[in-house]
Amino acid sequence: MPKHPDPARRSERSRQAILDAARELVSEVGYAKVSIEAIAARAGVGKQTIYRWWRSKGAVIFDAFLALSEADEGGMALPDTGDIEADLKTVMRATVAEFADPAFEGPIRALTTEIINDPGLAAQYRERLAAPVDEVKKARLRSAQQAGQLAADLDLGVALELLYAPLFQRWIYRSGPLTPDYADTLVDLFLKATRP
Amino acid sequence: MPKHPDPARRSERSRQAILDAARELVSEVGYAKVSIEAIAARAGVGKQTIYRWWRSKGAVIFDAFLALSEADEGGMALPDTGDIEADLKTVMRATVAEFADPAFEGPIRALTTEIINDPGLAAQYRERLAAPVDEVKKARLRSAQQAGQLAADLDLGVALELLYAPLFQRWIYRSGPLTPDYADTLVDLFLKATRP
């Protein structure tokens, strides 16, 4: 056992504290009002520690959200049991639960607010956050296409919109319950629309 | 011809000027920063003229958006030629064009921003704006159900989410083109999902 704390482990703890602080602050005061200073103070590190790893406020906040979605999607891999209906229901039930969870939905609501009004931030979001996650989801749909479970000519980008956008809209407008039944209904409609 | 302007006509002109001013100001400075004073000044009327017709800032702004959606939906009636595919493509092409039009999308973007962060405003929006428009859309879907063109057990609320939410999400994130082809694709997928 080392006498002094492992520097790599301490470094990882600081990194986590910074990402947690960034997410909390965006949720509390909104993206526009978050500063590097405030993130550093909340995380208990110096500003220079943040600038050692990230170039800008935007960069650290995006990594904070990226870390959240990696954690929540189990290392970015979607289940593939060969049963597309069962796998999508597993994924959509988990996604609906996330959107119904105040700890998760607060930061996403704050980020969405900024994205609506800032085309530059929207482009960064698509490139750095949405696109990598969408690629993981498309990989699962592609495997179902190859298994003959989804139409071969299906546009996978539009397919993801069809599957996820109803949940997104219901969440934004708080226009209906976010339940496991709702997740299943969306998967059933999606599969009916996209079967060969 | 009357010597003096017709008071009813002048009244209608003031009403229109107030609604136009409310929409413009929400688009320019955001819902939170709009005041009754600013609307009155922009419309060239006194504050008392506004309070004669509306109880609050929220009330006049909702009427402003309601007037916009009534105008754009041709008096709130959806076409019913008996051909659900043709009718939905007409409607969705027009809706996509609206979302692609800066004059229309600016105010809606401002309002959506406020709705995301204000559950009370979200409830007002659902009750006063979304619900009446949704009822009109549901009436058209119900007529298609009665004609055996849509599944009899289809939940019409979820059906509207399936049809409109992909467009809404693509618009919010600016994540893809808003074209007539896209409108047609959404209708094709929707009909495949909802056929008997």
Side-chain angles (χ1 to χ4, degrees):
Chain A
M1 291 237 277
K3 256 180 166 168
H4 302 289
D6 178 347
R9 199 170 296 168
R10 197 177 59 187
S11 190
E12 179 51 30
R13 267 203 307 272
S14 294
R15 212 182 117 83
Q16 271 310 322
I18 292 163
L19 296 176
D20 290 347
R23 263 199 309 278
E24 287 167 19
L25 285 165
V26 167
S27 177
E28 288 167 21
V29 302
Y31 179 89
K33 288 184 187 157
V34 175
S35 65
I36 289 279
E37 287 77 4
I39 296 171
R42 172 77 60 106
V45 303
K47 269 174 63 173
Q48 286 319 308
T49 303
I50 296 183
Y51 282 120
R52 201 191 315 153
W53 289 316
W54 293 278
R55 276 178 329 193
S56 67
K57 169 182 127 177
V60 62
I61 289 176
F62 273 102
D63 275 358
F65 281 93
L66 198 55
L68 187 72
S69 79
E70 277 167 355
D72 275 300
E73 309 226 359
M76 300 280 279
L78 257 59
D80 193 348
T81 65
D83 180 341
I84 185 67
E85 181 182 338
D87 290 350
L88 288 183
K89 284 184 177 173
T90 300
V91 169
M92 289 302 286
R93 281 171 173 239
T95 306
V96 165
E98 276 173 12
F99 276 99
D101 175 358
F104 181 87
E105 76 103 60
I108 300 294
R109 211 171 272 279
L111 188 66
T112 305
T113 303
E114 303 301 326
I115 284 169
I116 288 181
N117 295 292
D118 184 339
L121 198 68
Q124 273 194 63
Y125 169 81
R126 284 199 310 279
E127 189 188 320
R128 302 205 43 217
L129 245 175
V133 173
D134 282 356
E135 278 313 308
V136 169
K137 295 171 182 167
K138 284 181 189 174
R140 180 64 191 88
L141 297 185
R142 206 171 286 119
S143 135
Q145 271 182 318
Q146 282 154 5
Q149 297 165 336
L150 297 181
D153 64 348
L154 182 65
D155 178 318
L156 297 183
V158 174
L160 287 183
E161 290 179 338
L162 193 70
L163 183 58
Y164 284 90
L167 164 61
F168 175 71
Q169 181 185 286
R170 181 177 281 211
W171 168 74
I172 278 205
Y173 286 131
R174 307 172 204 260
S175 52
L178 302 178
T179 59
D181 270 359
Y182 181 58
D184 291 352
T185 299
L186 292 181
V187 172
D188 290 338
L189 285 166
F190 171 79
L191 287 177
K192 201 173 160 203
T194 59
R195 291 282 190 205
Chain B
M1 291 235 279
K3 255 178 167 171
H4 303 288
D6 177 347
R9 198 170 297 169
R10 196 177 61 186
S11 189
E12 179 52 30
R13 266 203 309 272
S14 294
R15 212 182 118 83
Q16 270 311 320
I18 291 163
L19 296 176
D20 290 346
R23 264 198 309 276
E24 288 167 18
L25 285 166
V26 167
S27 178
E28 288 167 21
V29 303
Y31 179 88
K33 289 184 187 158
V34 174
S35 65
I36 289 278
E37 287 77 2
I39 296 171
R42 172 77 60 106
V45 303
K47 270 174 63 173
Q48 286 319 308
T49 303
I50 295 183
Y51 283 118
R52 202 190 316 152
W53 289 316
W54 294 279
R55 276 179 329 195
S56 67
K57 168 182 126 176
V60 62
I61 288 175
F62 272 102
D63 275 357
F65 281 92
L66 197 56
L68 188 71
S69 78
E70 277 168 354
D72 276 301
E73 309 224 359
M76 299 282 281
L78 257 58
D80 193 348
T81 66
D83 180 343
I84 184 68
E85 180 182 339
D87 289 350
L88 287 183
K89 285 185 176 172
T90 301
V91 170
M92 288 303 286
R93 281 171 173 239
T95 307
V96 166
E98 275 173 13
F99 276 101
D101 175 356
F104 182 87
E105 73 105 61
I108 300 295
R109 212 170 270 281
L111 188 66
T112 305
T113 303
E114 304 302 326
I115 285 169
I116 287 181
N117 295 292
D118 185 338
L121 198 66
Q124 272 195 62
Y125 169 81
R126 283 200 310 279
E127 188 187 320
R128 302 205 42 216
L129 245 174
V133 173
D134 282 356
E135 278 312 309
V136 169
K137 294 171 182 167
K138 284 181 190 173
R140 181 63 190 90
L141 297 185
R142 207 170 285 120
S143 137
Q145 270 182 320
Q146 282 154 2
Q149 297 165 337
L150 298 181
D153 64 349
L154 182 64
D155 177 318
L156 298 183
V158 174
L160 287 183
E161 290 179 338
L162 193 70
L163 183 59
Y164 283 90
L167 163 61
F168 175 70
Q169 180 183 287
R170 180 176 282 212
W171 168 74
I172 278 208
Y173 286 131
R174 306 174 207 259
S175 53
L178 302 177
T179 60
D181 270 0
Y182 181 57
D184 290 354
T185 298
L186 292 182
V187 172
D188 290 338
L189 285 166
F190 170 79
L191 287 176
K192 203 174 160 203
T194 59
R195 290 283 189 204

